Amino acid sequence: GAGVSQSPSNKVTEKGKDVELRCDPISGHTALYWYRQSLGQGLEFLIYFQGNSAPDKSGLPSDRFSAERTGGSVSTLTIQRTQQEDSAVYLCASSLRGGANTGELFFGEGSRLTVL
Amino acid sequence: EDQVTQSPEALRLQEGESSSLNCSYTVSGLRGLFWYRQDPGKGPEFLFTLYSAGEEKEKERLKATLTKKESFLHITAPKPEDSATYLCAVQDEGSWGKLQFGAGTQVVVTP
């Protein structure tokens, strides 16, 4: 597709369950990012991938959060044993290059996670 | 720690009423400052990147400027379609990929 694609667009889950969120970046973009946006808040950085490796995962809130990227393309963000405070919109972005000169990020429309 | 503060939190304008949004930042060294626009239910959309004090960029009714401590987004003669949340973000010189975002300014332009 032409843009960053995320799925699911909406996910409602029960506290304690595991969830997986998927991101399909723009073809050819080497850098991929996950951010989290809580209601009325700015974006909170979670993790940055360059290719399949993650040079910066300093924003992952706890060890319940993990992410991987395969084939330099699709990425999955996994949240284990979800808690109510995990409720947020999870945004994925990609860019042509990353590292020292991030440049323009292209964002997907996000996955809205609600933990009951 | 890097900090990005945007003001005001919300702004209501009449169509044609020009105004400015502020983004003040604290970083050890600035690699870049970014402005994004976000519509409800959508991901942010890139507007501008500024790299050094004194730099200015323009796009239609929007103009972004940068000093050593803050950036301004000027909206000239806004139209209702300029209604959105405007987000500012910085990349610190020690950062490899991470952007630090402000909380945003929600702008509503009424006809």
Side-chain angles (χ1 to χ4, degrees):
Chain A
V4 177
S5 178
Q6 292 188 246
S7 62
S9 55
N10 275 288
K11 176 73 176 179
V12 180
T13 190
E14 293 181 347
K15 178 181 172 181
K17 301 277 186 166
D18 297 351
V19 296
E20 283 191 354
L21 308 176
R22 175 189 167 105
C23 173
D24 202 341
I26 294 173
S27 178
H29 280 194
T30 63
L32 185 146
Y33 314 78
W34 285 98
Y35 283 82
R36 176 168 75 172
Q37 187 171 34
S38 301
L39 189 63
Q41 303 296 312
L43 277 67
E44 176 190 3
F45 170 81
L46 298 178
I47 188 168
Y48 151 61
F49 286 94
Q50 185 64 44
N52 290 336
S53 62
D56 190 346
K57 44 188 174 183
S58 62
L60 294 177
S62 72
D63 58 8
R64 296 188 295 105
F65 288 72
S66 62
E68 66 173 10
R69 188 180 185 194
T70 55
S73 180
V74 172
S75 175
T76 302
L77 177 69
T78 301
I79 308 173
Q80 296 179 310
R81 305 180 303 280
T82 52
Q83 303 294 312
Q84 288 183 333
E85 61 261 29
D86 299 335
S87 295
V89 177
Y90 290 81
L91 289 160
C92 177
S94 67
S95 65
L96 192 59
R97 63 187 188 282
N101 293 293
T102 298
E104 176 181 354
L105 299 189
F106 293 82
F107 282 87
E109 297 204 338
S111 291
R112 180 177 297 277
L113 175 66
T114 303
V115 182
L116 301 177
Chain B
E1 184 177 318
D2 299 345
Q3 284 196 330
V4 182
T5 304
Q6 292 189 246
S7 62
E9 291 184 7
L11 189 60
R12 192 172 185 89
L13 301 171
Q14 290 274 337
E15 185 172 2
E17 178 188 1
S18 301
S19 189
S20 295
L21 315 182
N22 178 266
C23 171
S24 63
Y25 62 91
T26 305
V27 293
S28 55
L30 183 68
R31 207 185 281 283
L33 184 141
F34 304 82
W35 282 98
Y36 285 82
R37 168 194 171 122
Q38 186 173 26
D39 293 303
K42 305 286 187 182
E45 177 187 346
F46 172 80
L47 293 173
F48 304 108
T49 308
L50 301 167
Y51 292 106
S52 56
E55 189 174 359
E56 298 183 351
K57 294 245 177 110
E58 283 189 72
K59 180 180 179 179
E60 295 180 354
R61 296 176 292 282
L62 301 177
K63 179 179 177 180
T65 62
L66 181 66
T67 72
K68 287 187 176 180
K69 293 186 176 181
E70 57 191 350
S71 176
F72 292 92
L73 184 66
H74 307 278
I75 309 178
T76 302
K79 298 182 177 181
E81 52 263 42
D82 295 323
S83 298
T85 295
Y86 291 87
L87 299 168
C88 171
V90 299
Q91 184 177 11
D92 183 89
E93 65 180 3
S95 162
W96 289 85
K98 173 183 177 180
L99 298 188
Q100 180 79 37
F101 279 83
T105 294
Q106 184 178 30
V107 175
V108 174
V109 183
T110 57

